[in-house]
Amino acid sequence: MLRLFAVSLLLIATLLVADETNPVKLAAPEGWGGETIELPPSFARDMKLKGSEHIRFAPGMMKPASDSFFSYAFVFELQSKPDLTGAVVKDEFLKYYRGLCKKVLDGKAPDVDPSQFTLELQRLKSDAKPQPNEKDADAPVLYTGTLDWVEPFATKKPQKLNLEIRTWARNDRNYIFACVSPKARDTAIWKQLHAIRDGYLKKQTE
């Protein structure tokens, strides 16, 4: 498991918990780390989303020279409220990343202002249909996005993160799945991120 990331978050007093007693819910290639976080996390208590986050980290997550640096996939398994509108997703993700950066840096980079981080989201057309007995509103919604922030763990430098986000509702639960990487979407790491996402979605329909 990716101990560096886990230890970093534990040192900043988050509720990050190594998922060792229970199987990690997201299947991933060998060498990927896995963790679970309670939502809202201690570094972003102003988030409205409540539930749990399951994460899989690429082997190069904390290695700036790696082709998989800061690349990971995660799913939010949430209560049914609030509704996952585009505005809610954007606002909650900004709270998450701003709070994470602020907590990790802990005043060590006074020139960094997390309030200036930005997230641009673009909603995409989805061909997916609701499952039987589900409402049209429960059908998946897809977004691509770019987060401009400061990576606080390894480089403490500005970083552009590419995101692919999928939201949906099922059985009175809301879900957000995100694939995240600073690498271009045509690079190899995205195939692995998509495989993790597709494996999770397949299990949901079984």
Side-chain angles (χ1 to χ4, degrees):
M1 297 173 69
L2 189 56
R3 292 303 178 190
L4 179 58
F5 191 74
V7 169
S8 296
L9 290 182
L10 285 168
L11 288 176
I12 62 172
T14 70
L15 294 178
L16 185 65
V17 178
D19 208 355
E20 295 183 355
T21 57
N22 298 303
V24 176
K25 288 196 173 186
L26 301 181
E30 183 177 356
W32 284 59
E35 306 291 344
T36 293
I37 296 175
E38 181 182 346
L39 297 175
S42 61
F43 55 80
R45 286 299 188 195
D46 56 341
M47 288 180 65
K48 297 178 181 178
L49 301 180
K50 293 180 172 61
S52 59
E53 175 188 10
H54 305 286
I55 319 168
R56 296 309 300 257
F57 309 107
M61 178 75 181
M62 287 297 154
K63 302 174 182 177
S66 171
D67 288 339
S68 63
F69 175 54
F70 225 88
S71 298
Y72 60 108
F74 65 85
V75 61
F76 287 176
E77 298 179 338
L78 304 165
Q79 297 178 6
S80 59
K81 297 293 182 180
D83 294 336
L84 297 180
T85 64
V88 166
V89 172
K90 181 177 180 176
D91 187 53
E92 294 294 283
F93 271 50
L94 279 172
K95 289 176 181 176
Y96 183 100
Y97 282 100
R98 286 169 174 167
L100 178 62
C101 182
K102 182 178 180 179
K103 192 69 174 182
V104 174
L105 291 180
D106 194 24
K108 297 176 182 177
D111 292 338
V112 176
D113 182 2
S115 70
Q116 298 303 306
F117 296 168
T118 61
L119 174 60
E120 297 297 329
L121 286 182
Q122 180 180 1
R123 181 168 175 167
L124 305 178
K125 182 178 180 180
S126 174
D127 293 330
K129 303 297 183 184
Q131 296 295 311
N133 300 321
E134 290 185 336
K135 304 174 183 178
D136 288 342
D138 296 335
V141 177
L142 309 179
Y143 302 91
T144 59
T146 303
L147 174 73
D148 282 282
W149 79 319
V150 172
E151 187 279 301
F153 292 97
T155 67
K156 299 177 176 61
K157 295 180 180 180
Q159 182 186 60
K160 286 184 179 291
L161 282 179
N162 296 311
L163 296 92
E164 292 184 1
I165 299 170
R166 180 185 182 105
T167 71
W168 70 100
R170 176 167 297 169
N171 298 328
D172 294 322
R173 298 278 288 175
N174 282 339
Y175 298 85
I176 302 176
F177 200 107
C179 299
V180 183
S181 178
K183 299 298 182 181
R185 292 188 177 88
D186 59 355
T187 54
I189 187 61
W190 283 93
K191 293 181 180 179
Q192 297 181 68
L193 294 171
H194 291 160
I196 295 170
R197 177 197 64 195
D198 294 346
Y200 180 84
L201 295 176
K202 182 178 180 181
K203 284 186 176 180
Q204 277 230 326
T205 59
E206 290 177 349

